[in-house]
Amino acid sequence: MTTSVGIVTPRHADFDSPLTLRSGGVLPAYRLVYETYGTLNRERSNAVLICHALSGSHHVAGVYADSPRSTGWWDNLVGPGKPLDTNKFFVIGVNNLGGCHGSTGPSSINPETGKPWGSAFPFVTVEDWVETQARLADLLGIERFAAVVGGSLGGMQALQWTLAHPDRVRYAAVIAAAPRLTAQNIAFNEVARQAIMSDPEFHGGDYYAHGVVPTTGLKLARMVGHITYLSDDAMGAKFGRKLRHGTKQYHWDVEFEIESYLRYQGDKFAAYFDANTYLLATKALDYFDPAFEFGGDLVAALARARADFLVASFTTDWRFSPERSRELLFALMHNGRSVSYAEIECPAGHDSFLLDDPQYHAVMRAWFDRIEV
Amino acid sequence: MTTSVGIVTPRHADFDSPLTLRSGGVLPAYRLVYETYGTLNRERSNAVLICHALSGSHHVAGVYADSPRSTGWWDNLVGPGKPLDTNKFFVIGVNNLGGCHGSTGPSSINPETGKPWGSAFPFVTVEDWVETQARLADLLGIERFAAVVGGSLGGMQALQWTLAHPDRVRYAAVIAAAPRLTAQNIAFNEVARQAIMSDPEFHGGDYYAHGVVPTTGLKLARMVGHITYLSDDAMGAKFGRKLRHGTKQYHWDVEFEIESYLRYQGDKFAAYFDANTYLLATKALDYFDPAFEFGGDLVAALARARADFLVASFTTDWRFSPERSRELLFALMHNGRSVSYAEIECPAGHDSFLLDDPQYHAVMRAWFDRIEV
């Protein structure tokens, strides 16, 4: 029987020693917001870190007491009796640095100025996120994770964990991810960034001071992103050419249902997400490339990894296609790593990693079941 | 030996009888700008109409005397000795109604107000374009075309010609097109439209009166469009993850070469193309669906066609994939039509139809050679 982890409460950790980032930027101090589910065992051997994707957060599972519809973004995967079973594992979700859900980010107050960081917030990278997550692990007394797990940009963090801290990760699950973005991936990110930065209410990133938000640009960015999260077929099955009014109206309002869906998704996102965080996260995606320092040689780049891997991809994911996961698979295998690879037939495209597809969850359950704690 | 058609001069035709459009809108009068190459034979049997795509024009081949770099958009295909040989055929290119290259469009003066049409310009459809092209053919004394040819949105017009005027088209080439857009296609168009319409300088479509142009929105629209014109592989081969400065700069300026390319393409386009024309053309794309009045039955919809068809697609075209061309192929074959089908391996994606790929041009040449005039 599976149930929810129930009511959860975010916690936070404040770090007072300065952090130098890959970009050269320095944060004098920072806060990380996180949640935990389950109980850390006496041996401290059952901790699993969940890394979030572009628009995710630390709120992975459960609900907040004051908001019954606030279910965590991976609640279908994480909980008592669920594939990532909180009866067995101690699960940690953390909001990444630069985020907008409580961890220090561009909308936080810069102690030097007493105003929001805005455009002065330094660039953050996947490598930086892993370093801050490692500091949080130190604080929680976790020397070694049973597993580090993530989908999409979260999968990149899981991979980076195995490279930066090979002795601190026993198992790593890299789901619907890629070892680095393609030119097309970067191109979509660039459109999103240009949409935000060209919004007159962006004010060079310092919109907080003007009491406005670049919602128009952020909405456009989300609309573009959303198209890439879904497969052509899934959109076709859900919306096809369905007309809102049954007949063509010849107007600029919603004509086809897909337009309504996209506008709604864009508006919803722009109402709560911080534009600067979105910008920073797309740059972190672009920059991530463990092979870069190895002349593009991914096999050489992954030689440091020691973890036992799960690499999973979805047949209809065209943002990070199975081909990209297979690049990772082959590079890990060339290094003699133990890798389970699942190419899952799920019609939903990139978003599949968030769904409770039976085949996908069966793979996840079997993989987590293998992990001894 | 192949040569250029050389110096060309656009001509125009003015139509003074009112035109009622599919949308219900009425144009009291309108102008069509066109070019011709080659000579109409005595039997008037060698005319070929070229229909243009989203951002095309009547300027298909040759150059303008005052602008040596103004080569027509399909100059590699059309000319003496070229696949569409102007020694044999009389070729016509026409700027569609609603365009911004000289035919009556939103930037033209509305005779009733003495000001640009702007937001008052009526919606135009593929069906309307074909009707106005037919009026132009009447004027030029062309009862029946040897062929009507188009790529992408132009291919939809070629198809519509065979349905609206089956007796006036002997051969039809529908290249890199689709019988109707998918939800994903519409979604990309909707992002482009929202980018333009949410630009503060759009002024509800009446920006002419304000002396401004919504270049920011139009640039974004073109950037999104451009991604869908190229294949992932073509972008990868051309740009990959090439850094502009060799190392990461951690700034918002161009970091990867693909960003520079996209920005450049967007700026270039926004500097000359009319935003209202772009909006109208994306709507025409969305609306086109010959099967709509037949309950979605494409076979029934195409029963009227009498032409001898060429359907061509490109393996790497993900905007209008080969699968979409095959839908058209099968529906035509079910109707007993003669159809040549070519699925061409060209790495360039949707844009392949504009290139002089040897396999593609060999197909085109062989097909045009078959046409007796």
Side-chain angles (χ1 to χ4, degrees):
Chain A
M1 188 194 156
T2 68
T3 56
S4 166
V5 298
I7 304 290
V8 296
T9 309
R11 302 165 64 185
H12 62 264
D14 291 315
F15 299 85
D16 295 328
S17 48
L19 179 72
T20 301
L21 301 159
R22 278 277 171 129
S23 60
V26 178
L27 283 174
Y30 59 96
R31 166 174 290 191
L32 292 182
V33 168
Y34 64 99
E35 289 179 14
T36 68
Y37 323 108
T39 308
L40 187 62
N41 62 12
R42 191 176 310 175
E43 301 79 12
R44 300 174 176 271
S45 65
N46 69 335
V48 174
L49 176 68
I50 309 274
C51 304
H52 70 72
L54 192 58
S55 59
S57 73
H58 55 290
H59 184 39
V60 174
V63 292
Y64 295 140
D66 57 356
S67 176
R69 295 177 62 187
S70 63
T71 309
W73 58 269
W74 226 353
D75 189 80
N76 59 33
L77 189 87
V78 179
K82 291 183 178 173
L84 177 39
D85 191 344
T86 50
N87 289 327
K88 174 182 176 183
F89 292 106
F90 175 64
V91 178
I92 305 168
V94 55
N95 184 215
N96 283 336
L97 194 69
C100 56
H101 288 92
S103 292
T104 299
S107 56
S108 306
I109 298 300
N110 177 351
E112 285 181 22
T113 64
K115 294 175 185 167
W117 279 95
S119 63
F121 198 86
F123 284 88
V124 286
T125 63
V126 169
E127 290 86 344
D128 297 321
W129 287 335
V130 167
E131 285 321 298
T132 54
Q133 290 160 5
R135 291 195 186 190
L136 179 64
D138 294 342
L139 197 79
L140 297 175
I142 297 159
E143 176 54 36
R144 199 174 182 211
F145 281 107
V148 179
V149 176
S152 193
L153 177 55
M156 291 174 166
Q157 293 162 63
L159 176 60
Q160 175 60 22
W161 259 100
T162 71
L163 304 178
H165 300 286
D167 299 328
R168 299 188 72 173
V169 189
R170 288 168 56 216
Y171 288 81
V174 181
I175 303 163
R180 56 194 160 208
L181 296 197
T182 62
Q184 189 190 70
N185 294 146
I186 296 171
F188 278 119
N189 282 344
E190 173 64 3
V191 171
R193 284 190 294 264
Q194 290 297 320
I196 292 169
M197 297 194 298
S198 66
D199 185 327
E201 304 208 316
F202 181 63
H203 294 286
D206 295 313
Y207 44 87
Y208 316 103
H210 294 78
V212 293
V213 173
T215 45
T216 302
L218 192 54
K219 174 184 177 175
L220 286 170
R222 182 62 165 184
M223 287 172 72
V224 173
H226 213 85
I227 297 175
T228 70
Y229 303 151
L230 299 180
S231 69
D232 191 7
D233 285 349
M235 263 195 192
K238 195 167 178 185
F239 302 104
R241 296 182 51 84
K242 241 177 269 167
L243 288 160
R244 159 144 294 188
H245 302 287
T247 58
K248 297 168 189 168
Q249 302 297 306
Y250 299 105
H251 62 198
W252 301 105
D253 291 339
V254 168
E255 191 74 88
F256 293 94
E257 288 292 353
I258 179 66
E259 299 171 277
S260 169
Y261 173 77
L262 270 191
R263 291 185 195 184
Y264 171 78
Q265 292 293 337
D267 284 331
K268 194 174 76 169
F269 187 72
Y272 78 87
F273 206 85
D274 182 60
N276 280 322
T277 291
Y278 199 82
L279 291 174
L280 289 173
T282 63
K283 289 294 268 188
L285 270 165
D286 287 5
Y287 286 132
F288 184 66
D289 180 8
F292 183 72
E293 288 155 36
F294 293 83
D297 183 344
L298 190 61
V299 174
L302 303 189
R304 290 166 287 167
R306 290 289 166 267
D308 192 322
F309 281 84
L310 170 66
V311 176
S313 67
F314 299 93
T315 50
T316 57
D317 182 353
W318 63 276
R319 186 181 171 97
F320 293 145
S321 70
E323 197 182 343
R324 315 305 318 286
S325 282
R326 275 184 253 124
E327 278 178 46
L328 180 58
L329 168 69
F330 298 143
L332 288 168
M333 288 179 69
H334 271 290
N335 280 300
R337 287 300 92 217
S338 165
V339 196
S340 300
Y341 177 60
E343 198 164 303
I344 297 157
E345 279 192 41
C346 179
H350 187 61
D351 264 358
S352 299
F353 84 91
L354 296 166
L355 306 183
D356 59 354
D357 175 82
Q359 194 191 343
Y360 168 42
H361 271 204
V363 166
M364 297 300 283
R365 182 180 293 278
W367 190 73
F368 283 117
D369 280 353
R370 276 176 54 202
I371 301 177
E372 291 177 10
V373 294
Chain B
M1 188 196 158
T2 69
T3 55
S4 166
V5 298
I7 304 290
V8 296
T9 310
R11 303 166 62 186
H12 63 264
D14 290 315
F15 299 85
D16 294 328
S17 47
L19 179 73
T20 302
L21 301 159
R22 278 275 171 128
S23 60
V26 178
L27 283 174
Y30 59 96
R31 167 174 290 192
L32 292 182
V33 168
Y34 65 98
E35 288 179 13
T36 68
Y37 323 108
T39 309
L40 186 61
N41 63 12
R42 191 177 310 177
E43 300 79 12
R44 297 173 177 275
S45 65
N46 69 334
V48 174
L49 177 68
I50 308 275
C51 304
H52 71 71
L54 191 59
S55 59
S57 74
H58 55 289
H59 185 38
V60 174
V63 292
Y64 295 139
D66 57 356
S67 176
R69 294 175 64 186
S70 62
T71 309
W73 58 269
W74 225 352
D75 189 79
N76 59 35
L77 188 86
V78 179
K82 291 184 179 173
L84 177 40
D85 191 344
T86 50
N87 291 328
K88 174 181 176 184
F89 293 106
F90 175 65
V91 178
I92 305 168
V94 55
N95 185 215
N96 283 335
L97 195 68
C100 56
H101 289 92
S103 292
T104 299
S107 56
S108 307
I109 298 299
N110 178 349
E112 285 180 24
T113 64
K115 294 175 185 166
W117 279 95
S119 62
F121 197 84
F123 285 87
V124 285
T125 63
V126 169
E127 291 85 343
D128 297 323
W129 287 335
V130 167
E131 286 319 298
T132 53
Q133 290 159 4
R135 290 195 186 191
L136 179 64
D138 294 341
L139 198 79
L140 298 176
I142 296 158
E143 177 55 34
R144 198 172 183 213
F145 281 106
V148 180
V149 177
S152 194
L153 177 55
M156 291 174 165
Q157 293 161 62
L159 177 60
Q160 175 61 21
W161 258 99
T162 71
L163 304 177
H165 300 287
D167 299 329
R168 299 188 72 172
V169 189
R170 287 168 56 216
Y171 289 80
V174 182
I175 303 164
R180 57 193 161 209
L181 296 196
T182 62
Q184 189 191 70
N185 293 147
I186 297 171
F188 277 119
N189 282 345
E190 173 64 4
V191 170
R193 284 190 293 265
Q194 289 296 320
I196 292 169
M197 298 194 298
S198 67
D199 185 325
E201 304 208 318
F202 180 62
H203 294 287
D206 295 313
Y207 44 87
Y208 316 101
H210 294 78
V212 292
V213 173
T215 45
T216 303
L218 192 54
K219 174 183 178 176
L220 287 170
R222 182 62 165 185
M223 287 172 74
V224 173
H226 213 86
I227 298 175
T228 70
Y229 303 152
L230 299 180
S231 70
D232 191 8
D233 284 351
M235 262 194 192
K238 195 167 177 183
F239 303 103
R241 296 181 51 83
K242 241 177 269 165
L243 288 161
R244 161 145 292 189
H245 302 287
T247 58
K248 298 170 190 168
Q249 301 299 306
Y250 299 105
H251 63 196
W252 300 106
D253 290 338
V254 168
E255 191 74 89
F256 293 94
E257 287 293 353
I258 179 65
E259 299 171 278
S260 169
Y261 173 76
L262 270 190
R263 291 184 194 185
Y264 172 77
Q265 291 293 337
D267 284 330
K268 194 174 74 167
F269 187 72
Y272 79 87
F273 207 83
D274 182 61
N276 280 322
T277 290
Y278 199 81
L279 291 174
L280 289 173
T282 63
K283 289 295 268 188
L285 271 165
D286 287 6
Y287 286 133
F288 184 65
D289 181 8
F292 183 70
E293 287 155 38
F294 293 83
D297 183 345
L298 189 62
V299 174
L302 303 189
R304 289 166 286 168
R306 291 287 166 271
D308 192 322
F309 282 84
L310 170 66
V311 176
S313 67
F314 299 93
T315 49
T316 57
D317 182 352
W318 61 277
R319 185 180 173 99
F320 293 145
S321 71
E323 196 183 344
R324 314 303 319 286
S325 283
R326 276 185 251 122
E327 278 178 46
L328 180 59
L329 168 69
F330 297 144
L332 289 168
M333 288 178 70
H334 271 292
N335 280 299
R337 288 300 91 214
S338 165
V339 196
S340 300
Y341 177 59
E343 198 163 305
I344 297 155
E345 280 192 42
C346 179
H350 186 62
D351 264 357
S352 299
F353 85 91
L354 296 168
L355 306 183
D356 59 352
D357 175 80
Q359 195 191 345
Y360 167 43
H361 271 203
V363 166
M364 296 300 282
R365 181 180 292 277
W367 190 74
F368 282 117
D369 281 352
R370 275 177 55 203
I371 302 178
E372 293 178 8
V373 295

